[in-house]
Amino acid sequence: MKCIILATSLALILAAGSVTAGDRPISDCGERILDDGYPMERHTVTTEDGYILTMHRIPYSPKTGDDGNRPVAFLMHGMLSSSSDWVLMGPNKALAYILSDAGYDVWMGNARGNTYSKKHKYWPTYWQLFWNFSWHEIGIYDVPNMIDYVLEETGESQVQYVGHSQGTTVYLVMMSERPKYNDKIKSAHLLGPAAYMGNMKSPLTRAFAPILGQPNAIVELCGSMEFMPSNQFKQDLGIEMCQATSPFIELCANEIFLIGGYDTEQLDPELIEHIKATSPAGASVNQNIHFCQEYNSKRFRKFDYSIVRNPYEYGTMYPPNYKLKNAKAPVLLYYGANDWMCDVSDVRQLRDELPNMQLDYLVPFAKWAHLDFIWGTEAKKYVYDKVLEEMEQYE
């Protein structure tokens, strides 16, 4: 079967044309930033549990020059994504560039296991031990350690936080479990906030959650592994099949829509091959399982290992809920009516439980979907301008 799939994939590449260096979209976030004319720095952070993470930084905008100390904006991507998503749409459209042009020192994090964070002090990626994490560990280790590094490097005392999808989940985990980090946040802007997931409409998650979202004794027996890794072959195949002139372009678009909701008006066909050059960026199977558990349980709670391990981990038969009452820094919610991952009713349940909820912003575009927050052609008009306006209130 694998041989048949490989042969078919090669045939599709040949049918679509060969990948040439001159036409190939830039797959590396840092190279893309430099190609767009912005300064770029790479920084590495080692977490308390040994994962080595890479961050990308845009210290200043070429439109302003290096004009001294700037307030910090920290951006955190969603599941299967990376820092690339914050720059993919290019200058004047992508959030990282918009914030840089507005005077922010922009830092983009990368969670353990994605394209830019596949190193550990001791464990190689071919060991299952490397992949034994969920977004819980990203929230209690990765994000806090990256924020600490950014504050030490810049001399600032607080950051403006912007997260999308899982980037919002890990923020809430961090605040629940390490509430001292409230003091390091000026404001938190959560785009497509993913906490309560019980009413999500994504057909992929709804199909697999009844199986994958069960208390996971399988993980106990077999360990976790990498989920949807990226490699050169997959990138080449995706780039060739998903060019705007390709006969497969509608299939490529539908793959994106099936995840977050249909919105043809906000997806530029010219962008899809660039998306394929950077996504999926890889994750752990446990991250996906944890979201499936959220759908099944209709709660925002820790990973359910099954009654075998839960008492050892938590002291209870069932995993405890996250303590949303600990998220005391200002939180601003941005969500869409057509978001298949984060349903309006789920977001509003989250809203009602946050102790310092400062903005309830339903995007004024009826078809606004989950991935429009990072790839929508009018994201600046409907979301980013609002984010920038609100951020300025906390400076």
PDB file of all heavy atoms in Angstrom, residues 38 118 180 225 306 354:
ATOM      1  N   TYR A  38      12.804  42.731   6.298  1.00  0.00           N
ATOM      2  CA  TYR A  38      12.810  43.043   7.728  1.00  0.00           C
ATOM      3  C   TYR A  38      14.023  42.404   8.404  1.00  0.00           C
ATOM      4  O   TYR A  38      14.475  41.321   7.994  1.00  0.00           O
ATOM      5  CB  TYR A  38      11.530  42.530   8.399  1.00  0.00           C
ATOM      6  CG  TYR A  38      10.317  43.370   8.121  1.00  0.00           C
ATOM      7  CD1 TYR A  38       9.707  43.341   6.870  1.00  0.00           C
ATOM      8  CD2 TYR A  38       9.763  44.210   9.095  1.00  0.00           C
ATOM      9  CE1 TYR A  38       8.585  44.118   6.587  1.00  0.00           C
ATOM     10  CE2 TYR A  38       8.641  44.982   8.830  1.00  0.00           C
ATOM     11  CZ  TYR A  38       8.060  44.932   7.574  1.00  0.00           C
ATOM     12  OH  TYR A  38       6.946  45.705   7.295  1.00  0.00           O
ATOM     13  N   LYS A 118      12.686  20.892  17.374  1.00  0.00           N
ATOM     14  CA  LYS A 118      12.789  19.431  17.395  1.00  0.00           C
ATOM     15  C   LYS A 118      14.106  18.964  18.016  1.00  0.00           C
ATOM     16  O   LYS A 118      14.749  18.050  17.507  1.00  0.00           O
ATOM     17  CB  LYS A 118      12.650  18.864  15.985  1.00  0.00           C
ATOM     18  CG  LYS A 118      11.222  18.837  15.485  1.00  0.00           C
ATOM     19  CD  LYS A 118      11.120  18.053  14.193  1.00  0.00           C
ATOM     20  CE  LYS A 118       9.659  17.886  13.776  1.00  0.00           C
ATOM     21  NZ  LYS A 118       9.530  17.161  12.513  1.00  0.00           N
ATOM     22  N   LYS A 180       1.683  33.317  38.571  1.00  0.00           N
ATOM     23  CA  LYS A 180       2.606  34.442  38.740  1.00  0.00           C
ATOM     24  C   LYS A 180       2.898  35.130  37.405  1.00  0.00           C
ATOM     25  O   LYS A 180       3.331  36.288  37.376  1.00  0.00           O
ATOM     26  CB  LYS A 180       3.908  33.981  39.383  1.00  0.00           C
ATOM     27  CG  LYS A 180       4.789  33.113  38.511  1.00  0.00           C
ATOM     28  CD  LYS A 180       6.108  32.762  39.212  1.00  0.00           C
ATOM     29  CE  LYS A 180       7.031  31.962  38.288  1.00  0.00           C
ATOM     30  NZ  LYS A 180       8.310  31.623  38.938  1.00  0.00           N
ATOM     31  N   MET A 225       3.815   9.691  19.806  1.00  0.00           N
ATOM     32  CA  MET A 225       4.651   9.770  18.608  1.00  0.00           C
ATOM     33  C   MET A 225       4.346  11.083  17.902  1.00  0.00           C
ATOM     34  O   MET A 225       3.468  11.850  18.310  1.00  0.00           O
ATOM     35  CB  MET A 225       4.379   8.584  17.684  1.00  0.00           C
ATOM     36  CG  MET A 225       2.960   8.495  17.163  1.00  0.00           C
ATOM     37  SD  MET A 225       2.581   6.938  16.324  1.00  0.00           S
ATOM     38  CE  MET A 225       2.535   5.811  17.710  1.00  0.00           C
ATOM     39  N   SER A 306      -6.458   7.878  31.951  1.00  0.00           N
ATOM     40  CA  SER A 306      -7.271   6.716  32.355  1.00  0.00           C
ATOM     41  C   SER A 306      -7.160   6.541  33.867  1.00  0.00           C
ATOM     42  O   SER A 306      -6.264   7.080  34.520  1.00  0.00           O
ATOM     43  CB  SER A 306      -6.867   5.414  31.643  1.00  0.00           C
ATOM     44  OG  SER A 306      -5.732   4.822  32.262  1.00  0.00           O
ATOM     45  N   LEU A 354     -13.945  33.935  32.758  1.00  0.00           N
ATOM     46  CA  LEU A 354     -12.693  34.687  32.914  1.00  0.00           C
ATOM     47  C   LEU A 354     -12.899  35.846  33.880  1.00  0.00           C
ATOM     48  O   LEU A 354     -13.868  36.609  33.747  1.00  0.00           O
ATOM     49  CB  LEU A 354     -12.217  35.208  31.556  1.00  0.00           C
ATOM     50  CG  LEU A 354     -11.706  34.143  30.577  1.00  0.00           C
ATOM     51  CD1 LEU A 354     -11.518  34.736  29.192  1.00  0.00           C
ATOM     52  CD2 LEU A 354     -10.402  33.524  31.079  1.00  0.00           C
TER      53      LEU A 354
END
